[in-house]
Amino acid sequence: MPSGSSGTPRAGVPLPRPRQAPGSEGLRQDYVNAFDEDVDVFAPRTTESAHASDPYASVADRYTRTGTDVDDDAPPTGVPVPAQGGKGRAFTGIAAAAVVTVLAVVVAGQVVKGRDDGDTQSQSATDQARDARDPASRGDGRPTPSDAPGAAPLTYAQKMAVTYPLGATLKGSGKFDAVKGVDKAPGKGQKFTYRVDVEQGLGLDGELFAAAVQKTLNDDRSWAHNGARTFERIYTGKPDFVITLASPGTTADWCAKSGLDTAEDNVSCDSAATERVMINAYRWAQGSETYGDRIYEYRQMLINHEVGHRLGFGHVTCDKDGELAPVMQQQTKFLDHDGIHCRANAWAYPGS
């Protein structure tokens, strides 16, 4: 190299070609050409040569070839490549490709995540919609519309209009429970006090029975007619009488104490020798053939008839065909007698 050059070439003076080791001319030239040429790493590749088709091959080869392919101890030769030359662009292309690759991975991950999130949200929305449509799909621990309050309880009139199961030959324990509470006498006439007892184990509604006694006796069609009498239910103290709801067997025992046989027709009685007016629980629960399905009226008749005996009234019958049977007629046993047809009637004063 001429004096004064000191490694900086003069314009227009050709640079000397680098000295190459024997057998490496082609390799070195390809290596230099790979960086000297303007290579667009994103341009379509050609098939002219392996290096031309892969601009990164010579760089990759430096980390894969061994032996005499590359002289690592040889001093650097040739002219430094400008920063923006082919070599810089190649490395820039490599970096750009790496960035693109990373971005592609990130974007792909976000897309997959977005799909997963979308699927989860969609599934959640679907589940919620299904729950709204189909309560059966909910877990056992969650409230459902099937947990809503049940039907309204039956009214007094409705309870009085249905029959209840009880055997015609049942004989209970003979032990009684008084129905708690007091029902004051509503009228100003002669006052009678009474207690309501229910035999244990009947499975019947004692409070309904007590309510029926109070309502029936103080009805103006009953013995309270025109204010002549009034009836009050008590729980403690000495009553005038005890209205007792008992099994057929227990009813028969108490009626027998007053010389009455109720077993044959399974009826009720006023056991006048005792404090008890006995209401046969089988009749109270099931009614009679004479009243058919008119169980509400039959129960009213049953109370009025037996208390009527306690008040001193005896048995009578209707006198003309088609008349209402008097409440003191034995209507559980019959409505017709001596060719006369009597109509069922629950009241002492039915025209009131």
Side-chain angles (χ1 to χ4, degrees), residues 93-110:
I94 294 172
V99 171
V100 170
T101 301
V102 172
L103 289 175
V105 171
V106 172
V107 171
Q110 291 176 343

Side-chain angles (χ1 to χ4, degrees), residues 80-168:
V81 179
Q84 298 302 321
K87 181 177 180 180
R89 287 195 299 270
F91 279 110
T92 300
I94 294 172
V99 171
V100 170
T101 301
V102 172
L103 289 175
V105 171
V106 172
V107 171
Q110 291 176 343
V111 170
V112 171
K113 183 178 185 299
R115 289 177 179 174
D116 291 343
D117 290 346
D119 291 345
T120 301
Q121 293 172 359
S122 176
Q123 183 64 32
S124 176
T126 301
D127 290 345
Q128 292 173 5
R130 183 173 63 248
D131 282 350
R133 295 192 308 269
D134 184 10
S137 69
R138 300 182 177 187
D140 292 339
R142 288 182 287 174
T144 66
S146 60
D147 297 330
L154 296 178
T155 64
Y156 166 78
Q158 289 171 330
K159 290 179 181 179
M160 287 287 285
V162 296
T163 59
Y164 302 98
L166 196 137

Side-chain angles (χ1 to χ4, degrees), residues 12 19 24 39 59 65 67 74 117 133 162 173 186 215 237-238 246 260 263 285 303 308 324:
R19 193 161 44 108
S24 63
V39 179
V59 176
R65 295 175 184 171
D117 290 346
R133 295 192 308 269
V162 296
S173 64
K215 288 177 181 293
K238 179 67 176 178
L260 302 172
I303 293 168
L324 290 176

Side-chain angles (χ1 to χ4, degrees), residues 250-265:
T250 300
T251 296
D253 290 344
W254 278 88
C255 291
K257 294 179 180 183
S258 297
L260 302 172
D261 182 6
T262 61
E264 182 177 354
D265 295 306

Side-chain angles (χ1 to χ4, degrees), residues 8-24:
T8 302
R10 291 194 304 270
V13 179
L15 295 174
R17 298 185 62 83
R19 193 161 44 108
Q20 301 177 0
S24 63

